[in-house]
């Protein structure tokens, strides 16, 4: 039987026809989508537009790789390129909104009724702390015990002068016990070498954990376990493949095992004991305690490191801050005045030390304040030349505080560390006044946002400030310190792999020399 080949369609014709059909379908889908968006924009009034979007052709990841090379630079680049104060980009499958205009970074605190601040907290407790049981999750967020802990307990132990006097006093005692380890007993009077970040990590961990949580986990083994856990928290939060977080997961289980030990409660702080009494689920208590551990030292360690590094690196800063501390000690009476712990009133007088700490936070605070948009709303910048923007439900707002803290119109020479930037200044009449920051002729009352805002203002902000001042003061009283000079090493920079969670870590650990003060 003869075959009629005329009935077959040529492959080229079929391919062309299929491409044409797909093109038409794509056009129709896009047309329908555009029509819906235009209708939604029109419903919100004239002049409302969508934020411009950064195009990326990398599936799922989107712009994540580029952002990971430097978040502040990424935001500045696309805000300028798109000529917009805000813009959107796909980051690891999420539709994210970034804020390039420093004046709008605090929008997350002004549009709270449209924003969900709980979902991402639950993601952290689930992926990082391992709280997967719904009952335990409820215990941590909604129970009466959780409300008492957040509203009363943290304020009592982390903010009241009475309790801070106790905890900061214990912190200084731990510092004093650890300081002899800095010296080489065989070479009295000689310089000893130490890795600065490793030293700070050990001292801050032990001096924070023992008075605030429990002496049982203030050990070298726990310091190392937390270092491993802390390093991969961004990956754990993002639900990275298990093989990438294997070490961090193992370290987490080791920390949880130690928190579960009976000796943990036997040597626990009053804060820990009261938390335990208010949380009805043992698993919720154990895993939320790991969260308290992270909150206690996760940001403190890099913050104290950067402060100490810049003080040691700058001879003028070292000289001025040491003179400030010496002056406070000399004002005491008694033969062992230099060995007494600093009272809160004395630490409050260390205005240069506190300024150095604030300046370190300004330069290295690298956290996002992240919110999920739960309801469409219109963001009105209320600035000449800037449009009104429709922020759609499902968008993840990524407010990066470093954009505010590096505002060149607010901070002169904004990329330079200045230890006295936030110290009181003397005016022309000889009166000492607090520092003032202004922009476009307007005085800015709150130029920095290190500790969140609104209902999420960090309760431990006073403790970490006092802890840092006490460590710096004790070190300067007892030791001479200097950086090891090296012609082939540049100053440490930000480790961008850790950025987004809190204060940025350094990309390398500089070596310092320490000896008894001469």
């Amino acid at each position: 039987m003869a075959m009629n080949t005329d009935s077959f369609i040529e492959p080229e014709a079929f391919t062309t026809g299929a491409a044409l059909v797909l093109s038409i379908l794509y056009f129709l889908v896009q047309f329908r989508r555009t029509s819906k968006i235009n209708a939604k924009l029109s419903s919100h009034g004239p002049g409302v537009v969508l934020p411009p979007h950064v195009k990326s052709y990398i599936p799922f990841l989107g712009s994540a790789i580029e952002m990971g090379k430097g978040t502040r630079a990424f935001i500045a680049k696309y805000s300028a390129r798109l000529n917009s104060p805000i813009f959107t980009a796909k980051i690891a499958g999420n539709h994210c909104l970034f804020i390039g205009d420093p004046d709008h970074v605090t929008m997350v605190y002004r549009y709270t009724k449209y924003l969900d601040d709980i979902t991402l907290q639950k993601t952290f407790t689930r992926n990082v702390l391992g709280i997967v049981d719904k009952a335990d999750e409820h215990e941590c967020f909604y129970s009466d015990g959780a409300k008492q802990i957040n509203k009363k307990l943290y304020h009592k132990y982390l903010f009241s002068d009475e309790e801070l006097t106790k905890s900061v006093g214990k912190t200084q005692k731990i510092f004093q016990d650890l300081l002899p380890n800095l010296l080489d007993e065989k070479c009295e009077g000689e310089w000893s070498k130490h890795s600065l970040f490793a030293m700070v990590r050990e001292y801050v961990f032990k001096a924070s954990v023992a008075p605030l949580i429990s002496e049982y986990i203030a050990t070298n083994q726990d310091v190392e376990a937390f270092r491993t856990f802390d390093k991969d928290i961004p990956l754990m939060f993002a639900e990275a493949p298990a093989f990438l977080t294997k070490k961090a997961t193992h370290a987490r289980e080791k920390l949880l095992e130690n928190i579960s030990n009976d000796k943990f409660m036997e040597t626990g702080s009053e804060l820990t004991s009261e938390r335990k009494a208010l949380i009805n689920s043992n698993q919720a208590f154990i895993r939320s305690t790991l969260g308290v551990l992270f909150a206690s030292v996760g940001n403190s360690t890099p913050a104290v490191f950067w402060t100490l590094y810049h003080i040691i690196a700058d001879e003028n800063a070292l000289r001025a801050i040491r003179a400030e501390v010496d002056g406070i000690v000399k004002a005491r009476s008694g033969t062992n005045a230099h060995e007494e712990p600093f009272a809160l009133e004395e630490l409050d007088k260390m205005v240069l030390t506190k300024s150095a700490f604030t300046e370190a936070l300004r330069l290295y605070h690298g956290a996002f304040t992240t919110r999920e948009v739960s309801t469409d709303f219109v963001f009105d910048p209320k600035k000449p030349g800037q449009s009104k923007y429709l922020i759609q439900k499902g968008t993840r707002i990524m407010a990066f505080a470093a954009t505010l803290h590096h505002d060149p119109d607010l901070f002169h020479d904004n990329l330079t560390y200045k230890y006295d930037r936030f110290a009181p200044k003397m005016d022309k009449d000889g009166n000492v006044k607090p520092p003032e920051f202004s922009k476009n002729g307007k005085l800015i009352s709150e130029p920095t946002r290190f500790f969140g805002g609104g209902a999420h203002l960090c309760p431990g902000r006073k403790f970490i400030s006092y802890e840092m001042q006490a460590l710096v003061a004790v070190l300067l009283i007892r030791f001479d310190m200097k950086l090891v000079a090296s012609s082939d090493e540049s100053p440490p920079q930000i480790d961008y792999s850790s950025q987004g969670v809190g204060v940025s870590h350094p990309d390398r650990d500089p070596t310092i020399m320490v000896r008894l003060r001469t």
Side-chain angles (χ1 to χ4, degrees):
M1 178 177 178
M3 183 178 295
N4 183 2
T5 57
D6 292 341
S7 63
F8 284 87
I9 301 175
E10 293 292 333
E12 294 83 357
F14 178 80
T15 303
T16 302
L20 179 60
V21 170
L22 289 174
S23 297
I24 293 172
L25 288 174
Y26 176 78
F27 174 78
L28 290 174
V29 169
Q30 289 296 104
F31 178 78
R32 186 177 181 183
R33 179 175 177 272
T34 301
S35 298
K36 284 185 175 181
I37 291 174
N38 288 337
K40 180 183 287 189
L41 291 171
S42 298
S43 69
H44 289 281
V48 178
V49 299
L50 288 177
H53 186 73
V54 176
K55 293 181 179 179
S56 175
Y57 300 100
I58 304 177
F60 183 74
L61 289 177
S63 300
I65 295 175
E66 183 179 5
M67 187 186 76
K69 295 177 181 178
T71 304
R72 190 171 63 83
F74 170 81
I75 294 173
K77 171 185 174 181
Y78 284 105
S79 184
R81 178 178 293 183
L82 299 170
N83 191 30
S84 176
I86 63 175
F87 65 89
T88 59
K90 178 178 284 189
I91 304 293
N94 296 298
H95 184 72
C96 298
L97 177 78
F98 295 92
I99 306 166
D101 187 330
D103 294 339
H104 303 323
V105 170
T106 57
M107 67 176 288
V108 290
Y109 306 120
R110 292 185 283 112
Y111 289 85
T112 54
K113 68 179 180 179
Y114 306 108
L115 306 177
D116 172 8
D117 59 356
I118 292 295
T119 297
L120 290 174
Q121 291 183 55
K122 290 181 178 179
T123 301
F124 181 88
T125 59
R126 181 178 64 253
N127 296 346
V128 177
L129 305 182
I131 300 177
V132 295
D133 186 87
K134 289 297 181 181
D136 289 340
E137 181 184 90
H138 182 274
E139 188 67 29
C140 291
F141 285 96
Y142 304 111
S143 68
D144 291 339
K147 294 173 183 177
Q148 289 190 55
I149 289 170
N150 291 324
K151 291 183 178 181
K152 296 181 180 180
L153 210 58
Y154 289 146
H155 188 277
K156 173 184 175 182
Y157 286 103
L158 299 175
F159 217 71
S160 69
D161 285 349
E162 180 182 354
E163 293 298 332
L164 280 171
T165 296
K166 296 177 187 177
S167 58
V168 175
K170 292 177 181 177
T171 289
Q172 294 180 71
K173 174 64 168 61
I174 294 169
F175 286 151
Q176 293 285 7
D177 292 342
L178 290 170
L179 289 179
N181 298 333
L182 294 176
L183 301 174
D184 188 342
E185 296 179 357
K186 298 179 182 179
C187 303
E188 186 175 348
E190 298 297 318
W191 291 97
S192 299
K193 286 185 178 182
H194 297 276
S195 297
L196 181 58
F197 191 80
M199 181 197 82
V200 170
R201 180 171 54 224
E202 178 189 355
Y203 285 21
V204 169
F205 187 95
K206 292 179 178 179
S208 301
V209 170
L212 294 182
I213 303 175
S214 172
E215 294 176 7
Y216 183 68
I217 59 170
T219 67
N220 290 334
Q221 290 76 18
D222 291 295
V223 171
E224 182 59 26
F226 183 80
R227 182 193 69 80
T228 304
F229 169 65
D230 185 46
K231 184 176 182 295
D232 286 339
I233 282 179
L235 292 176
M236 298 176 82
F237 180 81
E239 297 183 90
F243 72 91
L244 293 176
T245 59
K246 183 177 180 180
K247 290 182 179 179
T249 302
H250 178 75
R252 179 182 70 184
E253 296 312 308
K254 180 62 179 175
L255 290 168
L256 291 171
E257 179 184 330
N258 290 344
I259 294 171
S260 304
N261 193 293
D262 290 341
K263 294 180 180 178
F264 175 85
M265 289 305 303
E266 291 172 8
T267 61
S269 68
E270 292 181 25
L271 170 60
T272 294
S273 296
E274 289 198 41
R275 284 187 64 253
K276 173 72 170 176
L278 290 170
I279 299 176
N280 293 321
S281 164
N282 191 49
Q283 272 300 306
F285 169 75
I286 291 169
R287 292 184 180 273
S288 65
T289 299
L290 180 59
V292 175
L293 174 61
F294 170 72
S296 301
V297 299
N299 286 319
S300 305
T301 297
V304 174
F305 162 80
W306 288 115
T307 304
L308 263 176
Y309 171 79
H310 281 288
I311 290 174
I312 298 171
D314 184 343
E315 291 184 4
N316 292 329
L318 183 60
R319 188 183 306 111
I321 293 173
R322 172 170 276 166
E324 177 179 74
V325 175
D326 284 344
I328 291 170
V329 174
K330 287 178 181 178
R332 295 172 171 174
S333 59
T335 55
N336 296 319
H338 68 285
E339 295 181 0
E340 296 177 9
F342 290 97
L344 298 189
E345 295 80 5
E346 292 177 316
L347 295 173
D348 286 333
K349 294 177 182 178
M350 298 181 188
V351 294
L352 286 177
T353 312
K354 188 171 184 178
S355 172
F357 174 63
T358 305
E359 178 71 344
L361 288 175
R362 184 188 72 82
L363 281 176
Y364 299 104
H365 184 271
F368 282 112
T369 300
T370 309
R371 300 286 188 269
E372 297 282 339
V373 178
S374 55
T375 306
D376 289 359
F377 71 96
V378 174
F379 168 56
D380 184 359
K382 296 181 180 179
K383 292 181 71 173
Q386 293 186 2
S387 303
K388 296 178 182 179
Y389 296 93
L390 174 63
I391 314 300
Q392 299 185 86
K393 179 180 179 180
T395 301
R396 178 173 292 181
I397 298 180
M398 309 277 281
F400 195 55
T403 301
L404 169 64
H405 299 153
H406 288 76
D407 184 354
D409 296 325
L410 189 58
F411 300 106
H412 175 68
D413 203 5
N414 65 315
L415 299 180
T416 302
Y417 180 91
K418 295 184 177 182
Y419 74 93
D420 59 351
R421 189 189 296 272
F422 293 91
K425 304 292 190 295
M426 186 176 294
D427 64 17
K428 60 182 180 180
D429 298 322
N431 300 313
V432 177
K433 294 186 175 181
E436 292 185 349
F437 298 90
S438 60
K439 182 174 181 179
N440 300 326
K442 181 181 178 182
L443 192 65
I444 306 299
S445 60
E446 210 169 358
T448 59
R449 288 279 186 163
F450 307 132
F451 300 106
H456 299 283
L457 195 60
C458 175
R461 60 193 183 278
K462 289 186 72 174
F463 175 82
I464 171 56
S465 181
Y466 282 137
E467 180 184 47
M468 177 282 306
Q469 289 172 273
L471 176 57
V472 170
V474 170
L475 285 171
L476 293 183
I477 287 174
R478 295 188 57 177
F479 299 105
D480 290 323
M481 294 176 291
K482 64 181 180 180
L483 291 168
V484 174
S486 178
S487 58
D488 60 344
E489 282 190 353
S490 60
Q493 303 297 318
I494 290 173
D495 177 5
Y496 289 109
S497 68
S498 67
Q499 200 165 47
V501 177
V503 181
S504 302
H505 287 224
D507 61 355
R508 68 176 186 84
D509 193 350
T511 302
I512 60 168
M513 303 282 280
V514 179
R515 71 178 179 189
L516 279 176
R517 188 176 175 185
T518 55

